[in-house]
Amino acid sequence: MSLIQTLQHALLNPITTLYQILQFLLSYLLSPTPPPPHATLSRPRIAIIGAGLTGVSAASHCVGHGFDCRIFEAGPRKNLGGIWSRVNNTSGLQIHSIMYRFHPSVRWEKGYPDRKQIVGQIRELWERYGLEGKTVFDTRVERVYQDKRGRWIVNDASNGRFDGVVAAVGTCGDAKMPSLPNQAKFKGEIYHSSQLDGKSAKGKKVAVIGGGASAVEALEFVAAENAEHTYVLARSEKWIIPRNAFVDVLLALNILGSETIFSWIPENILRLFFYRDLSDISPPRNSGKGIFTDTPMVNSDVLEFVRSGKASWLRGDILGYDSSGKGLRFNKRAQGVPKGGMGTETLIEADMVIMATGYERPSLKFLPSEVFEEPYEPPNWYLQVFPPSHPDICCNNCTYVNAIGTVGNYHIGIYTRFLLMYLVDPLARPRPRWMKRWIDMTRFIKARAPGGAFEFFTYSELIYWFLFTIAINPFRWKWAAFVLFGIGKDLPMKVVASEDRFRNGAGMRPARGDWIKIEGR
């Protein structure tokens, strides 16, 4: 593109141009420098379990800051990118991409990228930081345990020994595909919402079973296919919020991360200005299902799809397939009537049924049994990701349940750098007793949260957690710029080296893990 063409593009697309400039500045200022080929990286050495978005991002932060790592991926190379490698090509990002910067160097072409661009950015990141030689595919992790020196072993000693572990298995595993009564009699087609590539819904009546994020994925498909009509069959009401970055950020500013006495304000605003004539499908007032209790769907097209007459959103219970083979028997319930309650039974005729039933949650059972001991089992961990018994384990984006924010943003790097700080600086490392006290404090603050203290959070609350846990320990102050922004590592490393010399000179016994720093310099 010539200079004149570039200027013309900038003038005709000012918002896109400003966004590209912003992304360039974020990448320039905050991206760690990729190591040169065949560089010798120091300890601590990190085992990263999972080669999805989170695993690749965490690995790039490790090697970018000079620390070694190894990625273990259960699937083949085509699974690089995690859940995004397995969804439909019609799928895309529902939140604005400014809220999905899983690494500072990511460069989005538009505000709402599609699945192909997301996977492309993950692969580019993987290649840019030389992670191909550090990734082992087709290796399912069955067990993670420690040797006598406290180093971590993944499956068996042949895979090496590690100083820390990042579990990045995510929250979406195998597709859930339940079987319904009389299913064998159905004359149409049945697919999971993630298996729609190459399928045709043009001119067909489609029934979508489920009302969550997978239903949005199915609606994107049927809209692209120009289906005759689509019925979304949801068991309960779920909040839908606009596909608008400004609105999403405002909602995420609730630093308490739970329902408050003022939550009725955004809820009623959504009913009045967003749902409007379709407020019947919003969660009813005083139902206990507030906007800060569950992850909302982010989509502006769903309600318009219903208004246009191309889709119907029905609340009720699936009774099974009809014995005639023409569709589904459905118990339609009124707003506020609980699951399984009284309703009107009807036949939903369909040529295609899409099971928007989500995914099985991946298990963390490969971790030591002590990390699951009550009352400090996931997600009730330090900063939600560090088990109190093992601060050298970080379950990044694995314990997530519900939130207003995103699981694919800067916090991936922040959590990774917290782990690196804990490993190289024994004075900054949290002690199990204080990790438990922080968990207890958060439970006390959020005692009125309907789902529990850690089952729902906002992105603002997450930032508060980070700032508080750094501020509360003076030995972490020197690491603040590194942990929060990925810059300024040299100064705290020099300070830690001086502390090591002082302890050694004073004859003090080194804390567990001090050898990591000594070997790494």
Side-chain angles (χ1 to χ4, degrees):
M1 185 181 291
S2 67
L3 177 60
I4 294 177
Q5 289 175 320
T6 301
L7 291 174
Q8 287 177 336
H9 178 79
L11 291 172
L12 294 173
N13 303 276
I15 296 178
T16 301
T17 301
L18 289 173
Y19 186 36
Q20 295 301 327
I21 293 172
L22 174 62
Q23 291 190 98
F24 169 79
L25 292 174
L26 290 172
S27 177
Y28 178 78
L29 296 172
L30 302 179
S31 292
T33 303
H38 310 298
T40 300
L41 300 173
S42 66
R43 298 193 83 105
R45 190 180 187 219
I46 311 299
I48 297 174
I49 303 168
L53 177 151
T54 301
V56 171
S57 178
S60 69
H61 283 288
C62 288
V63 301
H65 294 300
F67 302 108
D68 199 7
C69 72
R70 194 174 192 186
I71 304 174
F72 297 89
E73 167 57 41
R77 182 167 176 154
K78 68 178 183 179
N79 282 17
L80 181 67
I83 187 62
W84 283 110
S85 70
R86 307 197 300 274
V87 297
N88 307 304
N89 286 325
T90 54
S91 299
L93 200 59
Q94 295 301 311
I95 58 175
H96 194 280
S97 55
I98 194 67
M99 302 169 69
Y100 208 72
R101 298 193 59 77
F102 56 87
H103 192 273
S105 66
V106 167
R107 298 290 291 273
W108 300 118
E109 297 174 6
K110 54 186 178 181
Y112 296 92
D114 56 23
R115 174 254 182 198
K116 183 178 179 181
Q117 188 182 160
I118 295 169
V119 173
Q121 286 294 305
I122 297 171
R123 290 182 180 274
E124 283 185 26
L125 184 67
W126 184 68
E127 294 170 357
R128 188 182 311 126
Y129 282 85
L131 298 175
E132 182 168 6
K134 297 184 178 299
T135 306
V136 183
F137 292 104
D138 297 307
T139 304
R140 182 173 298 278
V141 174
E142 304 289 350
R143 184 186 179 203
V144 173
Y145 61 100
Q146 288 179 299
D147 65 12
K148 294 180 179 179
R149 295 181 62 185
R151 296 171 300 183
W152 291 102
I153 295 173
V154 177
N155 287 342
D156 58 69
S158 65
N159 289 316
R161 286 172 166 80
F162 302 89
D163 311 308
V165 176
V166 172
V169 296
T171 58
C172 297
D174 296 332
K176 289 182 182 177
M177 197 67 174
S179 179
L180 299 173
N182 288 328
Q183 183 165 312
K185 296 181 179 180
F186 181 56
K187 298 176 182 179
E189 306 161 272
I190 304 174
Y191 304 108
H192 188 266
S193 58
S194 64
Q195 301 165 343
L196 299 174
D197 283 345
K199 310 300 188 298
S200 175
K202 186 174 182 179
K204 296 179 180 179
K205 295 178 182 177
V206 181
V208 177
I209 297 179
S214 295
V216 172
E217 187 175 7
L219 284 170
E220 289 170 335
F221 164 76
V222 296
E225 285 288 310
N226 196 23
E228 177 185 333
H229 193 82
T230 303
Y231 299 92
V232 180
L233 309 179
R235 287 188 302 174
S236 60
E237 301 88 353
K238 188 175 180 69
W239 283 104
I240 306 172
I241 62 177
R243 203 180 191 188
N244 182 294
F246 179 72
V247 173
D248 299 346
V249 168
L250 282 178
L251 292 173
L253 288 177
N254 176 359
I255 196 170
L256 296 176
S258 64
E259 287 286 292
T260 70
I261 59 173
F262 302 107
S263 296
W264 63 270
I265 297 175
E267 292 167 9
N268 283 343
I269 289 175
L270 285 171
R271 290 188 180 99
L272 182 63
F273 295 104
F274 185 56
Y275 283 91
R276 304 195 305 275
D277 54 313
L278 299 176
S279 61
D280 175 70
I281 65 176
S282 69
R285 292 176 175 84
N286 303 318
S287 65
K289 193 168 186 177
I291 197 167
F292 297 105
T293 60
D294 194 7
T295 302
M297 290 165 51
V298 185
N299 192 282
S300 297
D301 300 327
V302 169
L303 298 182
E304 293 306 317
F305 206 44
V306 175
R307 287 191 181 96
S308 70
K310 295 180 180 179
S312 301
W313 190 288
L314 306 178
R315 177 196 308 103
D317 307 296
I318 305 292
L319 303 177
Y321 288 91
D322 189 69
S323 58
S324 67
K326 294 181 179 180
L328 292 156
R329 291 170 49 241
F330 185 71
N331 179 45
K332 184 181 176 182
R333 292 183 273 106
Q335 187 184 45
V337 177
K339 299 174 186 177
M342 294 293 294
T344 303
E345 185 175 332
T346 184
L347 171 64
I348 305 297
E349 294 189 1
D351 306 303
M352 175 185 289
V353 171
I354 299 176
M355 304 294 288
T357 43
Y359 303 86
E360 300 288 348
R361 193 176 185 101
S363 173
L364 291 171
K365 64 180 181 180
F366 53 81
L367 294 175
S369 60
E370 59 265 26
V371 307
F372 303 106
E373 293 177 356
E374 297 182 359
Y376 303 105
E377 74 282 12
N380 302 293
W381 284 348
Y382 187 67
L383 299 179
Q384 204 190 53
V385 302
F386 294 99
S389 55
H390 290 292
D392 45 4
I393 294 176
C394 175
C395 293
N396 212 333
N397 284 343
C398 293
T399 59
Y400 166 88
V401 180
N402 286 299
I404 290 183
T406 169
V407 294
N409 209 337
Y410 278 112
H411 65 274
I412 297 173
I414 293 174
Y415 275 133
T416 303
R417 293 189 293 271
F418 263 111
L419 175 66
L420 295 173
M421 174 183 71
Y422 296 160
L423 293 174
V424 302
D425 188 349
L427 296 179
R429 188 180 309 138
R431 300 297 183 260
R433 179 168 65 93
W434 288 109
M435 295 170 80
K436 291 178 180 179
R437 297 294 78 78
W438 181 87
I439 296 168
D440 294 338
M441 179 194 74
T442 304
R443 282 171 163 160
F444 175 78
I445 293 173
K446 299 182 68 174
R448 294 180 178 272
F454 294 96
E455 283 76 1
F456 182 95
F457 66 90
T458 64
Y459 214 78
S460 296
E461 184 183 16
L462 200 64
I463 294 171
Y464 153 71
W465 290 353
F466 296 154
L467 295 176
F468 177 83
T469 54
I470 289 175
I472 201 69
N473 185 340
F475 293 105
R476 296 175 189 160
W477 295 354
K478 60 183 178 293
W479 290 100
F482 173 71
V483 169
L484 297 176
F485 303 106
I487 57 178
K489 183 188 73 171
D490 292 342
L491 176 60
M493 290 293 282
K494 290 178 181 178
V495 174
V496 172
S498 297
E499 293 168 350
D500 288 344
R501 288 193 294 269
F502 174 79
R503 283 197 300 271
N504 293 336
M508 297 173 64
R509 183 179 180 181
R512 188 181 75 82
D514 284 9
W515 62 273
I516 295 173
K517 305 190 304 302
I518 297 169
E519 291 187 6
R521 286 196 284 270

